[in-house]
Amino acid sequence: MIYKRFTSGSIASCTYILGDDTTKEAVMIDPGYTQKEADVFIEEEGLKLIYIIDTHGHADHVHNNAYFKEKYGAEILIHELDAVALTDNQTNLSEYLGYALNSPPADRYIDEGDVIRFGEEELIVLHTPGHTPGSISLIRGKAIFVGDLVFNGSVGRTDLKGGDSEQLMSVLKEKILPLPDETIIYSGHGYTETTIGEQKKVNPFFQELLGGNDE
Ligand SMILES: [Zn+2]
Ligand SMILES: [Zn+2]
């Protein structure tokens, strides 16, 4: 599979491009503040961008929805519960960040169990709310793209509009913790990947669910 991570902006937002080796069909996960370098990569690899997948509706993840949709004709996929954020600048936080986001509305809603296909590749959708009501994660084999659900050593904020810490912890317990230790976690911010096994060792939120390692 063709894979590339772009990290940009003051809060190190991550954009991912995944492409099928044969057909060159590709998806972009979270078009945050990356633009030109993604264009260069798409051109160099000869990719056909068919979907823009928003893990949730915050501006730092959907900032370039309009740009990439217009340029490549890709469809915007997001969970219904976060779709409102695309056109509500309070909910998507762009107003708070000091500008007005201009995203097209969703082309299609995605939810738990949906399969997103591009070429011979596929991503399975998990509904993983807590950071926002419509946050989703995407599974591909032994990898998971989690948006702002989990970071290395931490979890996403739940004090923003629509956040729910109890919900986030139950999602972590029921959908993330049971994944194999070697599963690679691709987060919505940062410069490196981590794994489920590593987070069991270093992440206090994982440890809380495992019963604590202190006693
Ligand atoms: Zn967020
Ligand atoms: Zn974020």
Side-chain angles (χ1 to χ4, degrees), residues 8-207:
S8 59
S10 57
I11 46 175
S13 301
C14 297
T15 295
Y16 298 93
I17 294 179
L18 310 180
D20 177 55
D21 289 310
T22 311
T23 64
K24 304 292 183 187
E25 286 186 340
V27 301
M28 176 180 280
I29 302 171
D30 287 351
Y33 299 113
T34 298
Q35 202 177 77
K36 185 145 191 283
E37 41 181 355
D39 279 334
V40 169
F41 183 74
I42 287 167
E43 185 173 339
E44 277 176 1
E45 298 285 337
L47 297 177
K48 183 173 176 271
L49 192 68
I50 58 172
Y51 297 128
I52 292 162
I53 310 169
D54 298 329
T55 60
H56 62 293
H58 284 159
D60 53 323
H61 298 257
V62 306
H63 180 79
N64 275 312
N65 272 2
Y67 175 82
F68 288 108
K69 179 179 168 69
E70 189 175 320
K71 180 146 189 173
Y72 300 101
E75 288 188 359
I76 295 172
L77 315 184
I78 189 169
H79 192 281
E80 188 171 4
L81 294 177
D82 264 34
V84 60
L86 296 180
T87 49
D88 175 349
N89 288 342
Q90 283 187 342
T91 306
N92 67 40
L93 306 178
S94 67
E95 193 172 291
Y96 166 78
L97 293 167
Y99 70 98
L101 182 79
N102 179 26
S103 172
D107 290 294
R108 197 138 62 87
Y109 299 139
I110 46 175
D111 201 353
E112 180 85 13
D114 286 348
V115 179
I116 300 166
R117 294 197 168 81
F118 49 109
E120 286 157 29
E121 295 287 345
E122 59 181 41
L123 293 167
I124 298 161
V125 178
L126 295 182
H127 182 210
T128 51
H131 176 63
T132 64
S135 284
I136 56 114
S137 297
L138 298 159
I139 294 209
R140 179 195 178 270
K142 291 253 170 88
I144 183 166
F145 297 83
V146 295
D148 286 358
L149 171 63
V150 175
F151 304 114
N152 188 6
S154 185
V155 296
R157 288 175 66 168
T158 53
D159 59 330
L160 301 164
K161 187 177 174 185
D164 183 331
S165 61
E166 264 178 50
Q167 197 174 39
L168 188 145
M169 289 305 280
S170 90
V171 162
L172 210 55
K173 183 179 178 187
E174 282 154 31
K175 299 187 180 176
I176 305 300
L177 215 52
L179 297 172
D181 279 357
E182 62 271 30
T183 307
I184 301 171
I185 301 172
Y186 296 87
S187 292
H189 295 269
Y191 292 88
T192 54
E193 291 84 40
T194 181
T195 64
I196 298 287
E198 196 180 324
Q199 291 313 297
K200 285 180 179 172
K201 289 183 198 142
V202 305
N203 193 318
F205 297 90
F206 279 60
Q207 288 169 348

